[in-house]
């Protein structure tokens, strides 16, 4: 029997998924990249005669990893080490943390992720926009949105642009910025080169801030960086986000959309979106569109995406003209 120390990560992951069963394994696959799914599928197919002892060893190691991640999230490496020593013993705790050094990615600025946004703002509002962008890239979207909304208008756009254009940040720069905050709050664990920021990061932030802040930032970006603004806007509201609209708003949008375009767009949507759309039109029209979808056969992904983007453009236009309201966690003010 192959011992757990002789197995690589893919082999352990395959045994874990086999042990968890097909239903739980399929749920995990949804969160993996295509190449990871291919590797695991191949390994599972080639795995034969997994003994109960191997399953138990893999499950125990997985439990220890989860335990370590939880403790690190709660209080950092030092806190995790203390608790793991109490739970597993000193030798086992050191072994677990040693194995996970490469795989456990402790995020920089972890010590301020549980700090109130207003307190963080007091420490960073006078810093250079690039420094602020770096820190916000490591915070949750809610924290970052609260902070960027409170910055002076002229600084909001600059910070948003820097987050969107950020790629890799060297550990030396991170350590230098951490040092500034470290004197006031806490220390932090070193980390290797880390990908932060980017289009998806600023999109998540802008989808969380209030509508006024979002419009101000986007209007200025369209002047300063029109291509970047266009790329951000395309990702800010995807077709599936139509679920954020109330029934009245959905009905208003449908009045602006051609039935043929809608049928193509719905070919690539999930059941929840289809149900929302069909429930907001007449039974006769819904039946007609469903029939069109059935008889049009396979549709190119590019055509589906283009049809969905047209509908998204309609939604954004109607929102800009205040004819509909998109529900956002950051909140929209309604003027009576």
């Amino acid at each position: 029997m192959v011992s757990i120390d002789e197995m690589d990560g893919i082999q352990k992951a395959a045994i874990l998924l086999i042990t968890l069963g097909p239903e739980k394994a399929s749920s995990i696959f949804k969160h993996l990249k295509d190449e990871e799914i291919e590797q695991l599928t191949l390994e599972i197919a080639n795995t034969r005669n997994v003994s109960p002892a191997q399953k138990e060893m893999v499950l125990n190691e997985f439990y220890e990893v989860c335990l370590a991640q939880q403790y690190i999230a709660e209080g950092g490496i030092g806190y995790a080490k203390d608790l793991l020593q109490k739970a597993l013993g000193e030798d086992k705790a050191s072994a677990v943390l040693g194995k996970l050094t490469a795989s456990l990615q402790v995020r920089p600025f972890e010590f301020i992720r549980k700090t109130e946004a207003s307190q963080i703002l007091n420490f960073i509002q006078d810093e250079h926009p690039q420094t602020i962008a770096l820190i916000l890239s490591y915070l949750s979207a809610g924290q970052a949105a609260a902070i960027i909304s409170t910055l002076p208008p002229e600084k909001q756009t600059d910070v948003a642009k820097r987050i969107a254009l950020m790629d890799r940040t060297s550990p030396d720069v991170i350590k230098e910025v951490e040092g500034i905050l470290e004197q006031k709050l806490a220390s932090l664990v070193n980390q290797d080169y880390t990908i932060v920021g980017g289009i998806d990061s600023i999109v998540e932030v802008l989808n969380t801030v209030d509508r006024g802040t979002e419009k101000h930032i986007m209007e200025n970006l369209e002047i300063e960086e029109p291509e970047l603004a266009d790329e951000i806007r395309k990702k800010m509201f995807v077709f599936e986000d139509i679920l954020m609209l109330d029934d009245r708003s959905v009905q208003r949008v449908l009045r602006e959309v051609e039935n043929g375009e809608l049928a193509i767009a719905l070919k690539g949507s999930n059941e929840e979106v289809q149900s929302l759309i069909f429930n907001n039109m007449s039974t006769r029209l819904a039946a007609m569109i469903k029939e069109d979808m059935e008889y049009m056969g396979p549709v190119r992904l590019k055509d589906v995406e283009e049809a969905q983007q047209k509908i998204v453009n309609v939604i954004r236009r109607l929102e800009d003209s205040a004819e509909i309201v998109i529900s956002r966690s950051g909140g929209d003010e309604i003027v009576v």
Side-chain angles (χ1 to χ4, degrees):
M1 181 180 70
V2 179
S3 70
I4 192 169
D5 293 329
E6 297 174 318
M7 298 178 190
D8 59 27
I10 293 294
Q11 290 173 316
K12 293 177 185 178
I15 292 176
L16 176 65
L17 293 176
I18 291 171
T19 305
L20 293 176
E23 186 174 344
K24 289 186 174 64
S26 63
S27 298
I28 293 173
F29 272 169
K30 294 177 183 178
H31 302 281
L32 300 179
K33 299 176 182 178
D34 290 344
E35 57 268 27
E36 293 171 332
I37 294 175
E38 291 175 7
Q39 286 180 309
L40 280 170
T41 301
L42 182 60
E43 186 62 38
I44 291 172
N46 290 327
T47 300
R48 299 286 189 274
N49 302 321
V50 181
S51 70
Q54 287 176 319
K55 290 182 179 180
E56 185 176 358
M57 287 189 295
V58 169
L59 280 175
N60 284 339
E61 183 171 301
F62 179 66
Y63 169 74
E64 291 164 359
V65 170
C66 293
L67 202 61
Q69 287 177 324
Q70 178 185 340
Y71 291 159
I72 287 174
E74 290 175 358
I77 289 288
Y79 176 80
K81 185 176 181 180
D82 288 341
L83 292 188
L84 286 174
Q85 285 178 346
K86 293 176 182 178
L88 307 174
E90 186 172 348
D91 292 341
K92 187 65 174 176
S94 298
V96 170
L97 289 175
K99 286 181 183 177
L100 301 178
T101 299
S103 60
L104 282 178
Q105 296 298 314
V106 183
R107 291 171 62 84
F109 304 102
E110 191 69 38
F111 65 98
I112 60 173
R113 287 174 66 82
K114 295 181 181 179
T115 305
E116 290 291 331
S118 58
Q119 293 179 302
I120 300 174
L121 179 65
N122 289 334
F123 294 128
I124 69 172
Q125 60 184 345
D126 296 325
E127 297 293 336
H128 189 279
Q130 186 66 29
T131 302
I132 298 175
L134 173 64
I135 295 172
L136 296 191
S137 295
Y138 282 105
L139 301 183
S140 67
Q143 281 181 305
I147 292 171
I148 203 171
S149 299
T150 315
L151 292 174
E154 64 275 10
K155 190 174 277 190
Q156 289 177 344
T157 306
D158 194 7
V159 170
K161 179 172 65 176
R162 290 171 185 272
I163 293 175
L165 296 175
M166 194 177 298
D167 184 11
R168 292 180 182 271
T169 306
S170 84
D172 290 338
V173 172
I174 293 176
K175 287 171 64 177
E176 182 179 351
V177 176
E178 286 173 347
I180 298 172
L181 300 180
E182 191 175 40
Q183 298 171 4
K184 302 175 182 179
L185 296 176
S187 60
L188 192 66
V189 178
N190 295 338
Q191 184 176 350
D192 199 355
Y193 278 84
T194 307
I195 299 175
V196 297
I199 299 295
D200 291 339
S201 179
I202 192 59
V203 164
E204 189 174 5
V205 172
L206 291 177
N207 276 334
T208 308
V209 299
D210 61 276
R211 178 62 171 156
T213 300
E214 177 205 314
K215 289 187 69 174
H216 170 77
I217 291 174
M218 289 306 300
E219 286 171 358
N220 282 277
L221 277 179
E222 285 168 356
I223 296 172
E224 298 177 14
E225 301 278 352
E227 292 183 3
L228 178 62
D230 184 57
E231 192 173 354
I232 292 173
R233 191 174 290 282
K234 285 179 180 178
K235 288 194 171 186
M236 280 188 62
F237 188 97
V238 297
F239 183 68
E240 285 71 20
D241 291 336
I242 199 169
L243 294 169
M244 293 192 294
L245 303 182
D246 58 26
D247 289 343
R248 185 192 65 80
S249 296
V250 172
Q251 293 162 16
R252 178 67 186 88
V253 171
L254 292 178
R255 291 203 298 271
E256 301 286 325
V257 178
E258 296 181 3
N259 293 341
E261 292 283 358
L262 181 60
I264 295 174
L266 290 177
K267 287 281 285 188
S269 65
N270 58 44
E271 292 182 7
E272 192 176 4
V273 171
Q274 292 185 14
S275 177
L276 176 68
I277 298 295
F278 292 139
N279 287 340
N280 279 284
M281 61 175 60
S282 68
T283 304
R284 181 174 177 277
L285 180 57
M288 185 177 70
I289 292 178
K290 289 178 182 179
E291 185 177 354
D292 289 345
M293 291 170 61
E294 182 179 351
Y295 283 102
M296 71 172 56
V299 179
R300 292 187 307 172
L301 178 61
K302 180 181 178 182
D303 293 334
V304 172
E305 291 176 344
E306 288 179 354
Q308 290 182 347
Q309 187 60 47
K310 288 181 181 179
I311 296 174
V312 167
N313 292 341
V314 169
I315 292 172
R316 296 311 300 253
R317 175 170 56 80
L318 292 175
E319 185 193 26
D320 287 339
S321 62
E323 294 184 60
I324 65 173
V325 175
I326 299 175
S327 174
R328 286 178 169 79
S329 58
D332 284 302
E333 294 183 3
I334 299 177
V335 181
V336 180

